[in-house]
């Protein structure tokens, strides 16, 4: 957990919004005929020149939707009327007793002062299975855990090969211009399966080029995941000029989820504790 509770420890992570997710689901359904349409937002029925009163002295009350299984639109709505709300299996303000993957006290959402303005920060409370947030883009760091489809993976950067000096910030820019030639398979950056049951020798998915596509088999992806919860092309990982690996979500129903210690929440973003997913409304 970061030392400063007011600032996210994931500066390269951009949370997905529900509006963007809805567009991505619609795009995914466009190439998968037969799926039910995304409900359209009803138009305003009348025009008014007057607005409802809203207190200029009290901050708006955020809400959390405990998403129904199989839906991101519907669920139980909880209003956050305190400075802190705790989510857990057996303790806290929101309890999900039947979720065995959720820790007794799993995560909290706290109001923090960031740059003179208030913000809501999601913090993991040392849970066994971690807290995840659905993201649009993310800068991968060593050991970072991501969920793609129904499985989780741990990111491993370049390993030090026998007789090969450790990579520096400048070295990859010159070494990798022609791709990954010269690196042994087990020294390449990779996603390593990190799901329950992956065993002592989990499967490794190496990055063999500077641009890696992740998706279903038979669609010319660099990393193929035989998972019904994965789209044809689910995510793209590229190495930028600074040598960092950036992952970007592609149109899909299930998106990419990143394990976080603490992150500032944005309106209509989605997060997960245990196997329960939530939607945050600022």
């Amino acid at each position: 957990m970061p030392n400063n509770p007011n600032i996210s420890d994931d500066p390269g992570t951009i949370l997905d919004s529900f509006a963007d997710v809805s567009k991505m689901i619609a795009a995914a359904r466009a190439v998968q005929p037969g799926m039910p349409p995304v409900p359209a937002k009803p138009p305003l029925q009348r025009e008014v020149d007057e607005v409802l009163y809203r207190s200029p002295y009290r901050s708006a009350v955020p809400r959390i939707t405990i998403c129904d299984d199989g839906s991101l639109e519907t669920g139980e709505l909880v209003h956050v009327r305190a400075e802190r709300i705790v989510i857990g299996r057996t303790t806290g303000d929101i309890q999900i007793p039947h979720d065995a993957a959720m820790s007794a006290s799993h995560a909290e959402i706290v109001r923090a002062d960031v740059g003179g303005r208030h913000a809501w920060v999601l913090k993991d409370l040392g849970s066994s299975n971690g807290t995840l947030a659905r993201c649009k883009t993310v800068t991968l760091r060593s050991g970072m855990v991501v969920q793609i489809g129904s499985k989780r993976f741990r990111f491993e950067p370049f390993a030090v090969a026998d007789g090969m000096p450790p990579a520096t910030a400048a070295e990859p820019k010159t070494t990798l211009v022609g791709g990954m030639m010269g690196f042994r398979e087990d020294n390449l950056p990779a996603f390593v399966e990190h799901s329950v049951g992956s065993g002592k020798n989990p499967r490794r998915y190496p990055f063999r080029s500077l641009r890696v596509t992740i998706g279903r088999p038979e669609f010319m992806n660099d990393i193929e995941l035989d998972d019904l919860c994965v789209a044809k092309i689910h995510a793209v990982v590229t190495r930028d000029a600074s040598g960092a690996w950036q992952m970007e979500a592609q149109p899909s129903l299930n998106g990419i989820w990143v394990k976080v210690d603490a992150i500032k929440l944005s309106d209509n973003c989605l997060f997960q504790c245990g196997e329960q997913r939530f939607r945050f409304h600022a």
Side-chain angles (χ1 to χ4, degrees):
M1 189 173 293
N3 293 328
N4 187 339
N6 299 333
I7 301 175
S8 166
D9 68 339
D10 291 281
T13 298
I14 301 176
L15 294 177
D16 234 340
S17 72
F18 178 73
D20 289 339
V21 170
S22 295
K23 292 177 183 177
M24 294 178 73
I25 290 175
R29 283 174 170 149
V31 296
Q32 299 180 48
M35 301 190 70
V38 178
K41 183 177 181 180
L44 293 174
Q45 299 300 314
R46 61 189 178 91
E47 294 184 0
V48 295
D49 55 6
E50 177 186 5
V51 297
L52 287 173
Y53 170 80
R54 181 186 178 283
S55 172
Y57 308 108
R58 179 179 59 75
S59 299
V61 176
R63 293 152 294 145
I64 298 171
T65 296
I66 306 170
C67 297
D68 292 336
D69 290 343
S71 173
L72 298 177
E73 292 96 347
T74 62
E76 180 183 348
L77 194 64
V78 177
H79 289 76
V80 182
R81 302 189 186 279
E83 300 290 306
R84 176 178 184 260
I85 188 167
V86 175
I87 300 169
R89 180 168 42 83
T90 58
T91 62
D93 306 280
I94 298 177
Q95 296 183 24
I96 315 291
H98 69 283
D99 191 341
M102 186 179 293
S103 294
S105 184
H106 195 103
E108 66 177 1
I109 296 175
V110 295
R111 180 175 168 175
D113 186 352
V114 179
R117 302 183 64 180
H118 84 268
W120 292 94
V121 177
L122 172 68
K123 296 181 182 180
D124 185 77
L125 296 176
S127 65
S128 299
N129 294 304
T131 298
L132 294 92
R134 180 163 175 162
C135 299
K136 186 183 302 182
T137 62
V138 62
T139 301
L140 297 174
R141 303 192 312 275
S142 178
M144 177 176 277
V145 173
V146 301
Q147 181 167 326
I148 301 174
S150 64
K151 295 182 179 179
R152 295 189 184 186
F153 303 88
R154 183 183 68 255
F155 175 65
E156 291 185 356
F158 282 100
V160 179
D162 295 336
M164 181 186 296
T168 64
E171 183 184 7
K173 300 179 187 178
T174 55
T175 305
L176 300 178
V177 167
M180 300 299 191
M181 298 298 292
F183 286 88
R184 280 188 1 213
E185 185 90 350
D186 56 352
N187 288 316
L188 291 173
F191 277 147
V192 180
E193 195 165 338
H194 193 66
S195 301
V196 175
S198 52
K200 295 182 178 179
N201 297 303
R203 186 168 178 180
R204 198 170 184 273
Y205 297 87
F207 297 176
R208 296 187 177 91
S209 65
L210 301 179
R211 182 180 185 275
V212 178
T213 59
I214 302 170
R216 296 280 291 278
E218 302 180 4
F219 292 98
M220 305 295 291
N221 288 293
D222 301 291
I223 293 178
E224 297 182 336
L225 302 177
D226 191 5
D227 183 346
L228 292 176
C229 293
V230 171
K232 294 177 181 178
I233 301 177
H234 200 97
V236 175
V237 182
T238 55
R239 189 173 176 89
D240 65 20
S242 70
W245 292 95
Q246 309 287 344
M247 182 165 63
E248 182 177 0
Q250 302 300 297
S252 68
L253 299 179
N254 294 300
I256 57 175
W257 297 72
V258 179
K259 186 177 178 181
V260 296
D261 289 328
I263 194 165
K264 186 173 75 172
L265 296 174
S266 57
D267 185 33
N268 272 316
C269 67
L270 299 153
F271 64 95
Q272 176 177 325
C273 299
E275 290 298 312
Q276 177 63 54
R277 291 183 169 177
F278 302 85
R279 179 178 163 196
F280 179 80
H281 317 255

